[in-house]
Amino acid sequence: MNTPSHAIVNLAVLSQFSLPEVNLAIAVGAILPDLPIFLFYGWAKFIQKLPERQIWSEGYWEPGLQNWVALFHSIPVAIFAAILADYCGWETGKYIFMSMVFHSLGDLPVHHDDAHRHFFPLSDYRLISPISYWDPQHYGRIVAGVEVLAVWVATAVSFPGVASFIGKGLMVAIAGLSAIAYFYIYARPLVQKYQRD
């Protein structure tokens, strides 16, 4: 799933079991697993000035970065941290780590070639799913459409529980941008192809 989608979906699921005060923690936890990827991309693109192809075909697969990605996407590590935070009475931390678990559970079924090691450090196993959230060769067009629909439903479900106007605005912006991105990446090329034929 795309990172902003995780934030909206996690908020819709976890806010049913929490007070509005932890909504920000849920959103942070939903985004946190992808932080090493964003930091790497910023460094590779804007500091090293590497081409996109080299970033994703070489740099992204460097063992050091992959270990950080695995750690931040680790279901066992996040579960342990959530239990520890709960034991220590740190409510915010508990929801950050629970949201990280839900992020990884959302990733598991929709990553093909780019699957993470979700059971690190207990195992280096990668679940190579037959479907992908982005790759058209692995039903990415369909999965991305389902993701957009899930974001819209999750926005409708969680919208009333978000008190902040900024939060509500971000949710609406993410839902709108996900639909626009889907159109430009997947639907528009199909329309253009049929118009040419």
Side-chain angles (χ1 to χ4, degrees), residues 41-54:
Y41 182 79
W43 171 81
K45 183 72 175 177
F46 302 110
I47 296 173
Q48 293 290 6
K49 302 197 183 307
L50 298 177
E52 289 288 323
R53 183 175 181 148
Q54 187 178 355

Side-chain angles (χ1 to χ4, degrees), residues 17-173:
F17 309 101
S18 64
L19 296 172
E21 290 78 28
V22 295
N23 283 350
L24 182 59
I26 293 169
V28 168
I31 295 166
L32 203 53
D34 289 338
L35 183 63
I37 300 169
F38 288 132
L39 292 175
F40 158 73
Y41 182 79
W43 171 81
K45 183 72 175 177
F46 302 110
I47 296 173
Q48 293 290 6
K49 302 197 183 307
L50 298 177
E52 289 288 323
R53 183 175 181 148
Q54 187 178 355
I55 289 172
W56 298 114
S57 66
E58 295 174 25
Y60 177 72
W61 296 104
E62 288 292 324
L65 175 62
Q66 281 299 299
N67 285 338
W68 281 106
V69 171
L71 179 65
F72 275 65
H73 281 87
S74 172
I75 293 172
V77 168
I79 288 174
F80 176 77
I83 292 169
L84 186 62
D86 186 54
Y87 177 79
C88 294
W90 185 30
E91 194 77 357
T92 300
K94 179 177 81 171
Y95 279 97
I96 287 172
F97 296 121
M98 285 174 56
S99 192
M100 290 177 75
V101 171
F102 274 87
H103 175 116
S104 292
L105 291 174
D107 274 353
L108 267 173
V110 295
H111 279 258
H112 182 72
D113 295 336
D114 55 355
H116 303 304
R117 292 177 289 161
H118 288 293
F119 305 102
F120 180 85
L122 304 179
S123 170
D124 284 329
Y125 174 77
R126 296 177 194 263
L127 174 66
I128 308 298
S129 174
I131 63 174
S132 167
Y133 76 101
W134 66 271
D135 188 349
Q137 295 181 344
H138 299 286
Y139 309 100
R141 186 174 285 111
I142 296 167
V143 176
V146 171
E147 181 179 327
V148 170
L149 182 61
V151 166
W152 279 77
V153 169
T155 299
V157 167
S158 53
F159 194 82
V162 175
S164 160
F165 288 115
I166 294 172
K168 287 181 187 258
L170 284 172
M171 290 172 65
V172 170

